[in-house]
Amino acid sequence: MLLPLLGLCAVVGGCAGITETISPAFVDPARYDLWDCKQLAPERKTLIKRRDELERLMAKAETGAGGAVVSELAYRNDYLAVRGQQKLLEETWRRDRCRESDMEAANPPAQPTPVPAPAGAAKPSKLLGSKSGDAIH
């Protein structure tokens, strides 16, 4: 009973140790080649959010019984894929000399707020007593 558990721990521990060497294998190396900085910026934010979310989920899973195994089985492949994408994107980001200001430029502009009409502008009023075709005296 103890021997299989130790074997499983060794396998899980071994997987955790090779994260950096495997992650590029989960990504197409040409994925971001034709992307410009304005396209890379939102993808960069998305990958950071996804990585953080997976790290939280893995940490939460590890708190339960058998959590390390659950964490590895449920989240490790996604985590490795995101880390690989992130590494490739960062390489492309540096190669293209993108800047943080590109990330702000990638945010969609805010919707313009309607401007109310000035208070002095009056609606055209109808002339009292006039009918179409009548002359005003």
Side-chain angles (χ1 to χ4, degrees):
M1 176 73 180
L2 186 58
L3 188 58
L5 185 58
L6 287 174
L8 183 61
C9 288
V11 169
V12 170
C15 291
I18 57 175
T19 299
E20 292 301 318
T21 59
I22 290 181
S23 59
F26 283 84
V27 183
D28 174 17
R31 179 177 180 137
Y32 300 113
D33 281 353
L34 301 177
W35 292 36
D36 64 14
C37 293
K38 289 184 180 181
Q39 292 170 314
L40 290 171
E43 179 75 359
R44 191 176 189 215
K45 285 183 178 183
T46 301
L47 289 175
I48 290 169
K49 286 169 81 172
R50 180 67 178 147
R51 185 203 63 211
D52 291 346
E53 176 187 17
L54 288 168
E55 286 174 351
R56 280 193 309 276
L57 290 169
M58 291 169 69
K60 184 177 179 180
E62 289 175 5
T63 61
V69 174
V70 171
S71 175
E72 288 293 318
L73 293 175
Y75 304 114
R76 181 60 67 179
N77 286 342
D78 286 343
Y79 181 74
L80 292 175
V82 167
R83 290 289 307 267
Q85 285 178 305
Q86 197 173 20
K87 183 177 180 182
L88 183 62
L89 188 140
E90 290 300 324
E91 289 170 2
T92 306
W93 183 268
R94 282 189 297 278
R95 182 195 69 211
D96 293 350
R97 295 185 177 99
C98 297
R99 298 177 312 261
E100 293 298 320
S101 61
D102 295 327
M103 290 183 75
E104 284 121 32
N107 291 335
Q111 293 291 343
T113 55
V115 178
K123 294 181 182 177
S125 61
K126 295 181 182 177
L127 295 173
L128 296 174
S130 68
K131 296 180 185 174
S132 66
D134 287 349
I136 301 176
H137 300 289

